[in-house]
């Protein structure tokens, strides 16, 4: 059985959210980068990444059971 994660994509990234986001299948030991590419999200759009509520990055390794949240770049003034 493949491990799964809980995936949340915010703001303009919501359009990439798969229907199985609550139990998104990953390959154990894969990186956040692998998942972002597989979802078709341009790497530069994955600006803020959180894994289990802690700041992470594209090289963070996933084993299954994590909660992953990804935010796009935010502008404002």
């Amino acid at each position: 059985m493949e491990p799964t994660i809980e995936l949340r994509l915010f703001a303009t990234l919501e359009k990439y959210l798969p229907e199985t986001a609550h139990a998104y299948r990953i390959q154990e030991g894969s990186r956040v980068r692998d998942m972002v590419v597989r979802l078709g999200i341009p790497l530069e759009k994955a600006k803020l990444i959180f894994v289990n509520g802690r700041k992470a990055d594209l090289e963070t390794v996933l084993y299954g059971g994590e909660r992953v949240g990804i935010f796009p770049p935010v502008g404002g003034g």
Side-chain angles (χ1 to χ4, degrees):
M1 184 173 172
E2 286 183 290
T4 61
I5 62 167
E6 181 181 331
L7 176 63
R8 295 183 180 187
L9 302 176
F10 297 92
T12 58
L13 298 181
E14 285 185 21
K15 63 185 175 190
Y16 297 100
L17 194 65
E19 290 184 19
T20 57
H22 63 285
Y24 187 71
R25 291 183 181 180
I26 61 163
Q27 192 168 40
E28 186 176 347
S30 62
R31 299 180 191 283
V32 171
R33 174 187 300 272
D34 302 325
M35 181 185 63
V36 168
V37 168
R38 189 167 61 165
L39 290 169
I41 301 171
L43 291 174
E44 67 275 9
K45 300 282 185 183
K47 187 66 174 175
L48 290 174
I49 300 167
F50 292 90
V51 175
N52 293 333
R54 295 184 178 195
K55 191 166 183 332
D57 60 35
L58 291 169
E59 302 308 318
T60 300
V61 177
L62 302 171
Y63 297 98
E66 294 95 344
R67 287 178 293 122
V68 178
I70 303 175
F71 295 79
V74 178

